[in-house]
Each structure stands twice: as structure tokens, then as C-alpha cells.
Amino acid sequence: MLDTLRQRGYQIGATFGQLENLKRPFVLLDDSSVVAINKGRKDFLQKSLLKTIHDLEPNKAGFFIMAEGAQIDYGGHANDMRYVVEEMLDFDRTIGDAIRFADSNGETLVIITADHETGGLSLLDGDLKRGYVDGNFSTNDHSGIMVAVFAYGPHSLDFRGVYENTEIQHKIMAILQKYHSSGN
Ligand SMILES: [Zn+2]
């Protein structure tokens, strides 16, 4: 796969820092370098989203980006409230960037969801001023709790209601098909 990517003009990197230095970067990180925010990951998720938008934006046919705040799940498995909150805030800042980009052009659909909940977390109390959140975990595994789907931009209303999350893919494909068949 790496050879194919190289042939297509991607430069392969293996560290966070290479994201900014490579042209058309494809950064593959091993497990030991994918650390939590509180272990020094910093704003890699935000930076990688912004870099990807920057590189794909000139594509006239449009583009699709999937960005994952993957370690919210790790915090849930560890039943570690601080871990969950720090990773959630990192993801939230990344969502902010995605929505700012959507606002800048008016033709970008942003869909925010989760593939599942982890930890069976119930939020019991909190205080915005003190940055305090209290919660209770009921499992150290994935749960069947319903997850929210937030959508912003054109066709966002297509994502209302209650449905299996595998439907999201079909909804996206249906929207794309509409545009291709109408020649827009
Ligand atoms: Zn998990």
C-alpha cells in the first residue's frame, strides 16, 4: 500500500511533526506514538484536519474527510473522567474548525456522531465556571446507548430522526448521487 501511495505522489511520514513538513503527507503513526492529550499529543487532530482541508479544497469534484476523536473511547474503557473530558474538548475544537470551514463556503456538510458510546457514562453534575464534571460509569466496555447525530450545512435535515448508524453511509451516498445525476 505504501508503494502505491508513493507512486501517487504521497510522501509517507511516521511522526506528528512530519504532517507540516511533507507535501501531500500520509502520516502513519504506530501505537506507541498515538498518545493521549495529557501525554503530549497536543493539537494533532486539529492540525491534521486543517492540513487535509487545505490539501483537498482545490479538488473541483469535492472531497470527503473522516476525522475521528478516537481516544474518547479509550477514556471510557478506562472509566477515567478526566481522560474523556480532555479528549472530548480536543474533538470539540476540531469540530469548531470544521464548522468554521463550512461557514466560509456555504456548501460543506458537516456530520458529527459516534460509532458507539463507551463506559455507560451518566453525567451527574457539572460547573462550567470551575471546569468541573461529575459522572458515573456503568461498564468498561462499549454500550448500546443511543448516540447523537449533529449535522450542519446543506442537507443537514436529512439526518433527523432515529435510525441505525449504518444508515449514515447510505444517506451520504444518496446526497452525493443527487448531485452527480443533476450535473451540479
Ligand atoms: Zn473501544
Side-chain angles (χ1 to χ4, degrees), residues 76 79-81 117-125 133-139 145:
N79 284 191
D80 183 333
M81 190 55 137
E117 195 275 343
T118 306
L121 176 60
S122 35
L123 295 173
L124 305 173
D125 199 2
V133 185
D134 185 23
N136 189 51
F137 293 95
S138 57
T139 174
I145 293 174

Side-chain angles (χ1 to χ4, degrees), residues 15-52:
T15 63
F16 290 124
Q18 285 174 290
L19 182 72
E20 283 158 327
N21 304 328
L22 297 178
K23 252 188 153 189
R24 290 193 84 184
F26 192 95
V27 177
L28 265 177
L29 301 165
D30 67 29
D31 285 350
S32 65
S33 57
V34 186
V35 293
I37 280 285
N38 68 9
K39 297 252 161 66
R41 194 177 74 241
K42 299 203 179 123
D43 54 354
F44 181 74
L45 185 61
Q46 268 180 285
K47 275 188 178 150
S48 59
L49 176 70
L50 290 171
K51 172 75 175 163
T52 309

Side-chain angles (χ1 to χ4, degrees), residues 73-74 77 116 118 141-142:
D73 172 68
Y74 297 16
H77 282 296
H116 56 76
T118 306
D141 209 342
H142 301 166

Side-chain angles (χ1 to χ4, degrees), residues 41-121:
R41 194 177 74 241
K42 299 203 179 123
D43 54 354
F44 181 74
L45 185 61
Q46 268 180 285
K47 275 188 178 150
S48 59
L49 176 70
L50 290 171
K51 172 75 175 163
T52 309
I53 289 174
H54 177 266
D55 285 1
L56 294 184
E57 193 184 0
N59 189 347
K60 285 211 172 69
F63 59 84
F64 178 89
I65 297 172
M66 203 287 286
E68 181 177 17
Q71 294 212 19
I72 302 164
D73 172 68
Y74 297 16
H77 282 296
N79 284 191
D80 183 333
M81 190 55 137
R82 189 188 177 97
Y83 198 164
V84 171
V85 169
E86 285 174 350
E87 295 297 332
M88 197 70 213
L89 289 173
D90 181 48
F91 187 52
D92 188 58
R93 284 186 286 268
T94 310
I95 291 167
D97 286 335
I99 288 177
R100 260 188 294 279
F101 175 74
D103 279 340
S104 76
N105 61 62
E107 57 179 26
T108 302
L109 170 62
V110 182
I111 305 158
I112 302 128
T113 190
D115 49 350
H116 56 76
E117 195 275 343
T118 306
L121 176 60

